[in-house]
Amino acid sequence: MNQSIGQARDRARALYEARAKRVPIAPFTDQDPSLDMADGYAVQQELTAMLLADGEAVVGYKAGLTSAPMQQMFGVDTPDYGPVFASTVLANGSIVSTEAFIAPKVEAEIVFRLGSPLRGPGVTTGQARAAVAEVMAGLEIVDSRIEDWRIRLADTVADLASNGAVVLGTPLPVDPAVDYRLLGMAFSRGGTLVATGAGAAALGDPAAVVAWLANTLGEHGTVLEAGQLIMTGALHAAVPLSAGDAFIAEFDRLGAVTLAVDEP
């Protein structure tokens, strides 16, 4: 790690204030380009502790950088992760305001809810699939507390993997006969198709994302608990969110999930 505990805490405080004030900060990697993924997670841990002290609750985890193009962009060969907080989970059809975010974008993805705990390392994709109880369509709002999305790997990891909020569709029981790699998705803004995707865009198999999370967190003594949400990663490039927008992601078998944005 290339920073002290004090530096990690100071950087977490800067992100905490940026979240509270909706005012972005300069990338940490501008000052110190040597910061790496481990440094980012050290900041993330400190920031999570601050938010938990405010009364937040972790209800699951989100995975990012689960597609090959995103990993290539950041020069890594592994996803990243961040906590999902209770206050950021929204119902299908929710209306949000751009004033709640700094520079929001939207991504469609498959979301799982665990029916039994997973303790890594050593969890296989098959074991992860068997532990999932429910599946639903999701729209993730990603947001960056870093100016103009000028993020390098350490910046986005520190910033809770750029989490903003998630809108969840109708939860459905997992069907063992369904191959979620092959689930197709059409994503539209204002009635115009802007992206398509399939489950396999998320690490080749959304269940593999669950296994990866269980194993990665397990190395640090954290267990994925029954009832937790697992956001498996975007199936397409993120789309900017603006006032007046209306988004719908239509998934094969999972149905649709919608999100509207308040006019100013």
Side-chain angles (χ1 to χ4, degrees):
M1 199 162 71
N2 300 308
Q3 65 183 347
S4 67
I5 294 174
Q7 287 174 317
R9 193 165 292 134
D10 289 345
R11 287 169 174 142
R13 174 60 61 180
L15 283 171
Y16 177 90
E17 293 177 357
R19 291 171 69 89
K21 297 174 183 177
R22 307 280 188 251
V23 177
I25 59 175
F28 300 131
T29 52
D30 276 5
Q31 280 189 325
D32 187 352
S34 72
L35 294 175
D36 58 17
M37 184 176 272
D39 295 304
Y41 281 123
V43 176
Q44 183 188 117
Q45 187 174 15
E46 296 287 345
L47 177 56
T48 299
M50 292 175 186
L51 294 170
L52 292 177
D54 283 348
E56 273 288 7
V58 174
V59 295
Y61 292 90
K62 63 156 289 185
L65 309 182
T66 53
S67 69
M70 288 301 292
Q71 290 182 13
Q72 290 163 9
M73 182 186 302
F74 282 91
V76 297
D77 59 1
T78 182
D80 69 350
Y81 69 85
V84 176
F85 294 111
S87 68
T88 67
V89 180
L90 308 176
N92 198 357
S94 287
I95 301 173
V96 300
S97 170
T98 54
E99 294 178 356
F101 306 98
I102 294 174
K105 302 180 182 184
V106 187
E107 304 170 343
E109 58 192 85
I110 295 170
V111 181
F112 291 130
R113 190 184 302 277
L114 294 180
S116 56
L118 283 171
R119 183 188 300 271
V123 174
T124 66
T125 297
Q127 290 169 331
R129 192 179 294 115
V132 173
E134 293 180 333
V135 59
M136 61 209 88
L139 285 175
E140 181 182 5
I141 301 174
V142 291
D143 195 21
S144 183
R145 275 59 61 171
I146 305 297
E147 291 173 346
D148 302 323
W149 281 96
R150 290 193 299 113
I151 51 174
R152 297 183 190 176
L153 183 62
D155 301 306
T156 184
V157 170
D159 191 20
L160 307 177
S162 304
N163 76 355
V166 60
V167 181
L168 298 178
T170 303
L172 300 171
V174 163
D175 184 346
V178 174
D179 187 342
Y180 292 100
R181 298 175 307 157
L182 307 181
L183 230 58
M185 182 280 305
F187 181 63
S188 301
R189 177 177 57 194
T192 300
L193 182 69
V194 292
T196 59
L203 215 58
D205 183 342
V209 178
V210 181
W212 176 84
L213 267 171
N215 293 328
T216 302
L217 289 168
E219 291 173 0
H220 305 288
T222 300
V223 177
L224 291 182
E225 302 288 357
Q228 286 187 329
L229 295 169
I230 306 296
M231 298 166 57
T232 61
L235 305 183
H236 60 93
V239 175
L241 176 154
S242 303
D245 281 341
F247 296 96
I248 180 170
E250 299 166 282
F251 284 78
D252 182 31
R253 296 180 180 265
L254 303 184
V257 58
T258 65
L259 164 69
V261 188
D262 255 344
E263 292 282 3

